[in-house]
Amino acid sequence: MAAAATCGTSAGNKGCTAAAAAAAGGKNNVTSFQRKGPRASVPDSGCARLVSIAGTRPSVRNGQLLVSTGLPALDQLLGGGLAVGTVLLIEEDKYNIYSSLLFKYFLAEGVINGHTLLVASAKEDPADILQELPAPLLDDNCKKDFDEDVGNHKTPESNIKMKIAWRYQLLPKMEPGPVSSSRFGHYYDLSKRMPQELIETSKWHGFFFPEKLSPTLNIEPCSLTHGYIKLLQFIQNVIYEEGFDGSNPQVKKQKNILRIGIQNLGSPLWGDDICCTENCDNSHSLTKFLYVLRGLLRTSLSACIITMPTHLIQNKAIIARVTNLSDTVVGLESFIGSERETNPLYKDYHGLIHIRQIPRLNNLIYDVSDVKDLAFKLKRKLFTIERLHLPPDLSDTVSRSSKQIPAASSRLLGQECGVMAGGRKHLDF
C-alpha cells in the first residue's frame, strides 16, 4: 500500500495510481477504464429494445420506429414504412374493392411478424376477415411466383427496349417485386389464403360492433356516437392490459407491436350520419374520435390503419378535418364505372393511387412524396404500384406532314418564338 501511495504522489504517474486502485479492489474487478463499443450488455437501453422488436426498423431520416404496411412498394412511398404511434388513413375506392386489400395486407404482415392484432368492423366479423388474409410468399417460392405472375401480364411491346422521356428517367426507381424474403416487409399471394396454423397461433382481438349493441341500452347525451365510445374503450383496455404503453411490469421486457385495423369508419354502420346529410347532428363525432385515438397511439407501441368512405362524405370541411387529424393519408381511385375504364391509355392499370399526406414526425419540415403519377394494378397473385406511363400521342390531331411555313412567317418565328404564325396550333419539328 505504501508503494501505491508513493506512486500516486508523482504528477507524471497518474496511470500507476489507477493500476494500484485496481489491484486493491481485485475482488470486485472494478476498474476506471471502460472499453468503448456496442452496448450489447445493457439490456435496459431504450434504443436496443426498440430495434429488437420483430418486424420493425428505425427510420434513416429521423430514427422513428417503423413497421411495414404489408406492401413494400407502399412502404417506399411513405418514407420506409408506417411510423409506430401514427394513423394511416385509406380513402376507399367507390366499390371498396382495392382498399380492403390494403387492409388485409396490413393485418397479414402483423401475423407473419408475431404482432398482436386488433380488428374492428361494423360490417364483417373480425374472425371472417382473418380467414381471408393472403398467404405469404417465403424463401424460394417468392421470386418464382412473382416472375410467373409478371410473365403472364407481359405485353409484346414491353420486350422492346425504347427510350422514354427525360422526366421519367430522373425519377427514382420503384421495386416492382420481391428480392429476398428476409427484407423488411413481405409479399403475399392473393390467390391463396393464409394457413390456418398461422392464424391460430397469432394473438388477436376482435371488435364487431353489432355484437356490442344492446336493445335495452340507454345512451347518455354525448358528443361521440355509441359505436365510437365502445371502440375507444375497447382499444384503451387492450393497450393498458396488454402493456403496450409500458405500464404493465410483467410484459415490460417482452416488447411487441399492436396493429389496429378499423374498417369502414364513418359509415352509417357505425351510427354516424356524416355520409347521409351535409349538415349532420354529429359532425364532430368522427373528428373527436380520431383526436382521442391519436392520443392513445402516441403513448403506446401501436400503429393503426383506417379505411373510410370519403367519397360518401358530403361535407368537405369534415374531410379536411379528418385529413388533418390523420398522420398519413392515401387515396385510391378506381377506374371501375368511369370513362377511364374504357380508355385505351389506361388499359394496363386498374386505378390511381394518391399520396395525399406524409407524417411530419420529429422534423421541422414535412416530407413530400417525390412521385406524383402513380397507378395500381391487380394481378392474379399480386397488387402492384407502378408509375403511370402513358403511351406517346400518335393521334391524327397533330399532323406530321404539315405544309411548309412561308419565309415571312419563318423570319417572324425567328424573331419571336412565342408568337404562332398563321394561326397554327401546333409546331412540328
Side-chain angles (χ1 to χ4, degrees):
M1 296 297 293
T6 305
C7 186
T9 55
S10 60
N13 296 327
K14 294 182 181 180
C16 187
T17 305
K27 295 181 180 180
N28 298 329
N29 294 328
V30 179
T31 176
S32 61
F33 298 101
Q34 295 182 359
R35 181 180 179 182
K36 292 184 178 180
R39 302 178 62 183
S41 60
V42 185
D44 295 334
S45 174
C47 180
R49 289 199 303 269
L50 293 179
V51 174
S52 62
I53 301 178
T56 64
R57 70 177 178 187
S59 173
V60 296
R61 297 184 179 183
N62 49 28
Q64 184 76 21
L65 192 65
L66 302 177
V67 296
S68 175
T69 61
L71 196 60
L74 183 59
D75 294 339
Q76 183 181 359
L77 295 173
L78 300 183
L82 180 62
V84 173
T86 61
V87 177
L88 169 60
L89 177 64
I90 303 294
E91 297 180 356
E92 297 178 0
D93 53 290
K94 185 178 296 185
Y95 296 99
N96 194 20
I97 298 176
Y98 305 103
S99 56
S100 61
L101 294 179
L102 299 184
F103 187 80
K104 294 174 182 178
Y105 274 132
F106 180 81
L107 299 178
E109 184 70 19
V111 173
I112 296 300
N113 293 312
H115 297 165
T116 303
L117 304 182
L118 192 155
V119 186
S121 176
K123 181 180 179 181
E124 301 180 63
D125 194 333
D128 296 337
I129 296 177
L130 294 180
Q131 296 296 328
E132 297 177 356
L133 296 182
L137 293 175
L138 300 176
D139 301 333
D140 298 336
N141 296 330
C142 184
K143 186 69 177 177
K144 179 181 178 181
D145 290 348
F146 175 78
D147 293 339
E148 178 184 352
D149 194 21
V150 172
N152 295 334
H153 291 81
K154 275 188 176 182
T155 57
E157 292 81 1
S158 61
N159 298 325
I160 302 175
K161 185 176 181 181
M162 58 179 295
K163 294 183 179 180
I164 60 177
W166 62 270
R167 70 180 295 269
Y168 295 115
Q169 294 177 350
L170 298 178
L171 294 176
K173 295 183 178 180
M174 292 183 61
E175 300 175 2
V179 179
S180 172
S181 60
S182 61
R183 298 186 54 185
F184 178 80
H186 299 82
Y187 292 84
Y188 299 89
D189 186 355
L190 294 176
S191 62
K192 300 178 182 178
R193 294 289 177 260
M194 182 171 290
Q196 190 65 27
E197 295 79 10
L198 293 177
I199 299 177
E200 292 177 354
T201 56
S202 62
K203 187 175 182 180
W204 62 278
H205 304 271
F207 182 90
F208 190 38
F209 179 58
E211 295 181 352
K212 304 297 180 179
L213 290 176
S214 175
T216 60
L217 181 65
N218 295 326
I219 302 178
E220 298 180 358
C222 182
S223 58
L224 291 176
T225 62
H226 176 66
Y228 295 158
I229 295 176
K230 286 289 185 180
L231 181 56
L232 284 175
Q233 292 175 351
F234 186 80
I235 296 175
Q236 184 179 13
N237 292 335
V238 172
I239 290 177
Y240 292 163
E241 293 176 2
E242 300 288 339
F244 291 104
D245 60 336
S247 60
N248 193 339
Q250 296 180 356
V251 295
K252 190 174 183 180
K253 295 182 180 180
Q254 300 177 356
K255 292 290 183 179
N256 199 0
I257 299 296
L258 175 65
R259 287 177 176 254
I260 303 174
I262 306 176
Q263 195 177 47
N264 304 121
L265 189 68
S267 65
L269 297 175
W270 286 98
D272 204 337
D273 57 350
I274 60 174
C275 297
C276 303
T277 178
E278 184 175 359
N279 299 320
C280 54
D281 298 333
N282 299 322
S283 60
H284 298 284
S285 182
L286 179 60
T287 54
K288 289 184 178 180
F289 169 82
L290 293 174
Y291 184 82
V292 178
L293 177 63
R294 281 215 316 183
L296 293 174
L297 296 178
R298 289 291 194 270
T299 57
S300 62
L301 289 175
S302 55
C304 181
I305 181 173
I306 297 176
T307 64
M308 184 179 299
T310 54
H311 61 280
L312 298 178
I313 301 178
Q314 303 181 20
N315 193 339
K316 302 303 180 182
I318 297 180
I319 299 179
R321 290 196 293 264
V322 168
T323 301
N324 293 332
L325 289 173
S326 303
D327 299 294
T328 308
V329 181
V330 177
L332 297 179
E333 180 184 352
S334 174
F335 291 161
I336 299 177
S338 64
E339 58 181 10
R340 292 180 177 177
E341 185 179 9
T342 57
N343 192 331
L345 298 178
Y346 302 96
K347 63 179 181 179
D348 295 331
Y349 307 102
H350 293 130
L352 302 177
I353 183 169
H354 307 282
I355 308 298
R356 305 195 188 279
Q357 182 172 297
I358 296 180
R360 301 178 287 269
L361 302 173
N362 303 331
N363 285 334
L364 296 178
I365 59 175
Y366 61 91
D367 293 331
V368 178
S369 178
D370 53 357
V371 182
K372 301 298 182 182
D373 303 327
L374 294 171
F376 62 84
K377 182 189 304 182
L378 180 59
K379 302 179 181 179
R380 186 172 64 91
K381 296 183 178 181
L382 299 174
F383 179 89
T384 60
I385 300 177
E386 303 175 359
R387 287 191 181 86
L388 181 62
H389 296 301
L390 297 180
D393 188 6
L394 299 179
S395 60
D396 297 335
T397 57
V398 181
S399 176
R400 302 191 180 275
S401 58
S402 58
K403 297 180 180 180
Q404 296 293 333
I405 302 178
S409 300
S410 300
R411 290 194 299 268
L412 179 61
L413 288 175
Q415 297 174 358
E416 288 186 78
C417 295
V419 180
M420 304 300 294
R424 296 181 180 272
K425 296 182 179 180
H426 303 284
L427 282 178
D428 296 329
F429 296 92

